[in-house]
Amino acid sequence: MAVETICREVGTPVFIYSRATLERHFKVFEEPFQSLDHLVCFSVKANSNISILRIFADMGGGTDIVSGGELYRALKAGIEPGKIVYSGVGKTAEEIDQALDAGILMFNVESEDELETLNDRAIAKNRKARVALRVNPDVDPKTHPYISTGLKTNKFGIDVERSFQLYQAAKEMEGLKPEGVDCHIGSQLTDIDPILEAIDRLAALIGKLRSSGIDIKYLDIGGGLGISYDAEEPPPPSEYGEAIVGRVKRLGVKLILEPGRVLVGNAGILATKVLYQKSAETKHFVIVDSAMNDLIRPSLYDAYHGILKVRKSPDEDRKITADIVGPICESGDFVAQNREIDQVASGDFLAVQSAGAYGFTMSSNYNSRPKAAEVLVDGSEYFIIRERESYEDLIRGERIPNVILETR
């Protein structure tokens, strides 16, 4: 299926995903864990389109969610409630009720206050909530500071010493069943050693908890395995899985994994169209129709995304060095800076690579820009799995009250 065909028929900007790649990534990730009792819970925050969730559900996967909206999406996509784990530091009472009613597998609890709220809501609904405390092992994941989550200075989790005390408290709470230990040290990991160090610290905690009468049945090690955007060299899933299995198999637990980026990141692109070019004294700019509201990672993290022309031109050996920028009124609105790319002209289509994760899910309507369409390619066909927003969509839910209308 030619990307140019999709661009011309659907329009740009557009996120395009490959079903074949999604399925291959899931299989390759899961295969090393076959010798263990395990569950792969895709991290919905990476890509929440219900078609993609359904693909993983049909392969036996579950989901890791962080909001009531993600729970709603997961259930609509056909994810079994017993394969849903609920993470996140700020679950509201209403969101907890929704998850209790759905009968999810487990709550990953991040604070003493949350533990008490969950207990109160479970009692009110005459239920027992299966609980894992998210333990912060104080391990440096060696990743971008904005996506590091396992250090003492991060907002996530409970330190190891304090977690033991909270497990004892949870054991006495009428509405809770403390049966899991949870950890997630960060995203875009390119080194196995930090996750192995974290598992070793969790293993010691599990032994201590079992000695105190708490039967730990689940170990959730989160996700975070990185992908190659540019020059990164993350370990392949086979190496990652083999190392983890070697650490976990002796613990007698069901292993829960929460991959996100590694499944979807390199299964998608953002296709965009060149609008104009302009040159300043020291800069050349290529202005495209996608912007930081569509893909914020370069602006937010200074993240690298490869850029390719969708169709090679006769002078394909000609290169230019340019900033590839969008229409938004911010100097930080760029896809790439000082990037060498093929010579382009107005109307050319570009493919921004590795945009399947944290692309559409982090998009916004800044500058009142409608959100892009999403397309799934399946063999020689493509399907629109999310329609492009319209201007009417931009103001849906807004009202001008009569007190303003009457002032004219």
Side-chain angles (χ1 to χ4, degrees):
M1 169 53 61
V3 171
E4 184 176 24
T5 299
I6 297 173
C7 292
R8 295 195 182 282
E9 294 181 358
V10 179
T12 54
V14 56
F15 287 92
I16 307 173
Y17 313 112
S18 163
R19 179 179 181 179
T21 306
L22 292 165
E23 292 179 343
R24 178 169 58 84
H25 284 179
F26 188 95
K27 290 175 183 175
V28 169
F29 181 87
E30 186 181 34
E31 188 173 33
F33 299 99
Q34 293 302 316
S35 63
L36 288 180
D37 188 10
H38 70 283
L39 176 62
V40 176
C41 291
F42 171 66
S43 182
V44 176
K45 61 181 175 289
N47 190 315
S48 61
N49 189 284
I50 59 175
S51 291
I52 290 176
L53 302 185
R54 182 55 178 261
I55 288 171
F56 294 147
D58 289 344
M59 299 181 76
T63 53
D64 162 50
I65 63 169
V66 295
S67 72
E70 289 189 351
L71 172 62
Y72 181 81
R73 284 181 172 274
L75 295 175
K76 284 292 184 182
I79 301 290
E80 297 177 28
K83 293 182 177 181
I84 297 175
V85 293
Y86 199 160
S87 305
V89 300
K91 308 175 190 72
T92 66
E94 292 77 15
E95 289 174 320
I96 289 171
D97 284 353
Q98 293 165 14
L100 287 169
D101 290 340
I104 69 167
L105 173 62
M106 189 154 55
F107 291 84
N108 292 333
V109 173
E110 302 233 13
S111 67
E112 183 174 2
D113 282 356
E114 182 189 338
L115 195 68
E116 293 173 352
T117 298
L118 176 57
N119 180 56
D120 291 344
R121 299 314 308 153
I123 291 172
K125 288 184 165 291
N126 194 30
R127 296 178 183 272
K128 281 273 192 180
R130 188 178 287 110
V131 168
L133 294 186
R134 178 167 175 175
V135 178
N136 187 326
D138 196 29
V139 171
D140 184 358
K142 302 175 184 177
T143 188
H144 191 288
Y146 285 9
I147 50 179
S148 167
T149 59
L151 293 168
K152 286 182 178 179
T153 53
N154 300 135
K155 71 177 181 180
F156 301 96
I158 304 162
D159 72 75
V160 175
E161 305 307 323
R162 178 61 177 148
S163 68
F164 181 79
Q165 300 170 15
L166 291 185
Y167 272 107
Q168 304 308 309
K171 183 174 66 170
E172 304 304 321
M173 291 184 179
E174 180 184 343
L176 305 182
K177 291 193 294 183
E179 294 185 353
V181 173
D182 172 49
C183 174
H184 177 71
I185 64 172
S187 189
Q188 185 54 10
L189 305 179
T190 58
D191 186 347
I192 295 177
D193 289 341
I195 188 65
L196 297 181
E197 182 182 351
I199 291 173
D200 288 342
R201 296 187 183 186
L202 297 180
L205 175 62
I206 289 171
K208 188 177 178 182
L209 290 171
R210 285 173 171 168
S211 296
S212 72
I214 297 176
D215 184 16
I216 297 298
K217 299 177 181 177
Y218 300 89
L219 172 60
D220 185 338
I221 62 168
L225 181 59
I227 63 172
S228 295
Y229 286 99
D230 183 16
E232 305 95 335
E233 295 183 357
S238 57
E239 182 182 332
Y240 170 83
E242 182 180 349
I244 290 173
V245 168
R247 286 296 210 281
V248 172
K249 62 183 178 182
R250 67 181 186 275
L251 297 179
V253 293
K254 181 167 185 171
L255 180 66
I256 297 176
L257 302 127
E258 300 172 357
R261 188 191 317 266
V262 71
L263 297 188
V264 297
N266 282 328
I269 64 171
L270 171 62
T272 185
K273 183 170 69 174
V274 176
L275 299 176
Y276 310 109
Q277 296 187 68
K278 61 182 288 187
S279 292
E281 185 175 342
T282 60
K283 281 276 190 181
H284 185 71
F285 298 94
V286 174
I287 302 162
V288 297
D289 66 356
S290 64
M292 62 187 291
N293 76 294
D294 301 301
L295 183 66
I296 199 173
R297 296 188 71 257
S299 301
L300 185 62
Y301 303 129
D302 197 26
Y304 179 96
H305 287 266
I307 300 172
L308 297 174
K309 278 181 70 174
V310 166
R311 177 185 287 275
K312 286 287 189 180
S313 54
D315 58 347
E316 62 181 26
D317 292 333
R318 291 189 60 190
K319 302 288 184 181
I320 60 171
T321 298
D323 285 11
I324 294 84
V325 302
I328 278 179
C329 296
E330 298 277 351
S331 296
D333 178 26
F334 60 86
V335 181
Q337 294 180 304
N338 297 316
R339 180 74 61 84
E340 183 181 87
I341 62 170
D342 292 336
Q343 176 74 48
V344 296
S346 296
D348 284 344
F349 298 112
L350 303 179
V352 182
Q353 298 175 281
S354 308
Y358 304 103
F360 188 89
T361 55
M362 295 181 75
S363 64
S364 74
N365 292 123
Y366 187 45
N367 279 193
S368 288
R369 287 173 51 86
K371 289 184 180 178
E374 291 181 287
V375 165
L376 180 70
V377 173
D378 187 0
S380 61
E381 298 180 283
Y382 75 83
F383 303 91
I384 297 174
I385 57 174
R386 191 184 197 280
E387 294 181 0
R388 186 180 311 282
E389 286 187 342
S390 66
Y391 289 147
E392 288 78 13
D393 292 326
L394 292 177
I395 61 170
R396 181 169 288 113
E398 296 183 31
R399 300 287 186 275
I400 302 177
N402 288 334
V403 67
I404 293 177
L405 295 173
E406 292 168 356
T407 58
R408 289 190 174 183

